[in-house]
Amino acid sequence: MARVLINLPRSAKRGELIEIRTLIQHGMETGYRPGPNGVTQQRDIIRSFTCLFDNEEVFHAELYQAIAANPFITFSMLATASGILAFTWTGDNGFAQTETRALTVT
Amino acid sequence: MSSHFSSPCVTSRRTAAAGLLAVALVRPARAAAQGTFERESLQQAILGFTGGVAPTRGRVTLDIPPLVENGNTVPVTIAVESPPGEAAQVRGIALFNEKNPQPNVITARFGPGARLGARLNPGHAMLATRIRLATSQTLVAVAAMSDGTYWSDSAEVIVTLAACVEF
């Protein structure tokens, strides 16, 4: 399991635009770089990131090799109700990880 | 005889003039060809995202340091703001580059579907990440709105240490 950091406001007002910050530990090997033996290393990146709010998609991003190692993604979302946010990262070599956080809207 | 004498002079002047003309003609042609070659993949990537619509400049703010010391992690922030009174929501944001091996950097969509979009996604949106840059180049951010319009902003960055070269 890769280490994950997710930062979201402890509580938000209804109708407020909140900022959700995520970071996941991953090397994001581009596939363009030679390894120690001189042979180009295979691509191994996180290809997509999805955030669901009560099972409805709020944010989805496709990542490419140009994303730096340990992908850091921040996005905005309108807080409308309390619910569960589910974050999913999927990538090469069967990489998949899901984390959930509760969002409290007052 | 005099004509024979003058003729080489004339021809040389002619060739000189022709040469100058050729240089004048070739220079811009080559520059244009190079420009289109370099831009084509960036342009194609943008048009692929917009579905053939050329994006309008504005509404998008692409925030990136103009001088990058380390191309391996470059912080980027893309903010989209609709003027008050506009009902359009932000449907997606994409970032493209000019000279990395691949034109795409990140392609994001915000809450698809009119119902969900209207509920969860106002006319303002923000996306921030950290990217890799292979060399000094131009970056273009494009925002897709729910009314079918596309907006963009570009930024030029100078990279001193490139990504993708270290072992």
Side-chain angles (χ1 to χ4, degrees):
Chain A
M1 289 290 268
R3 283 188 63 186
V4 170
L5 286 173
I6 297 170
N7 184 310
L8 63 158
R10 197 156 292 170
S11 70
K13 289 198 181 78
R14 194 177 297 274
E16 189 187 345
L17 199 64
I18 59 167
E19 196 178 291
I20 298 170
R21 296 193 284 174
T22 68
L23 181 80
I24 186 162
Q25 189 180 38
H26 194 283
M28 293 293 275
E29 189 56 57
T30 58
Y32 298 118
R33 217 166 56 110
N37 55 358
V39 178
T40 307
Q41 286 170 300
Q42 274 223 318
R43 189 185 83 168
D44 182 12
I45 62 167
I46 291 177
R47 285 198 306 267
S48 81
F49 167 71
T50 311
C51 176
L52 303 178
F53 177 71
D54 285 347
N55 291 324
E56 285 183 289
E57 188 182 283
V58 177
F59 179 83
H60 172 89
E62 276 162 46
L63 313 186
Y64 295 86
Q65 283 97 318
I67 296 295
N70 303 328
F72 164 80
I73 297 167
T74 300
F75 60 94
S76 59
M77 176 191 150
L78 192 69
T80 50
S82 297
I84 301 292
L85 286 162
F87 304 87
T88 306
W89 291 262
T90 54
D92 294 330
N93 302 327
F95 183 91
Q97 189 160 345
T98 303
E99 296 279 328
T100 54
R101 295 286 186 277
L103 177 70
T104 313
V105 174
T106 51
Chain B
M1 207 51 185
S2 67
S3 68
H4 274 268
F5 266 112
S6 66
S7 66
C9 183
V10 167
T11 47
S12 72
R13 208 183 291 158
R14 258 190 206 152
T15 47
L20 277 177
L21 191 67
V23 166
L25 285 175
V26 164
R27 270 252 175 95
R30 193 187 290 160
Q34 236 170 24
T36 49
F37 171 73
E38 274 171 6
R39 278 222 302 279
E40 214 160 44
S41 88
L42 171 67
Q43 213 70 350
Q44 277 175 348
I46 293 171
L47 292 180
F49 175 70
T50 61
V53 183
T56 319
R57 265 185 169 274
R59 295 199 188 178
V60 183
T61 315
L62 173 58
D63 190 16
I64 185 164
L67 184 67
V68 174
E69 274 184 21
N70 184 355
N72 283 308
T73 51
V74 187
V76 188
T77 304
I78 303 160
V80 185
E81 291 215 0
S82 296
E86 288 272 337
Q89 284 112 33
V90 182
R91 212 154 44 82
I93 295 177
L95 181 63
F96 302 98
N97 68 71
E98 189 189 9
K99 289 176 183 170
N100 276 12
Q102 272 201 332
N104 302 74
V105 177
I106 187 166
T107 308
R109 58 172 191 256
F110 289 81
R115 188 180 58 83
L116 186 67
R119 195 158 63 77
L120 289 178
N121 173 17
H124 298 227
M126 189 275 287
L127 167 66
T129 185
R130 290 178 194 148
I131 67 168
R132 291 180 172 134
L133 291 172
T135 181
S136 302
Q137 55 184 306
T138 308
L139 291 162
V140 179
V142 182
M145 309 299 283
S146 59
D147 59 0
T149 57
Y150 292 91
W151 301 84
S152 76
D153 189 20
S154 66
E156 278 182 33
V157 287
I158 295 169
V159 179
T160 47
L161 172 68
C164 329
V165 290
E166 96 288 12
F167 283 73

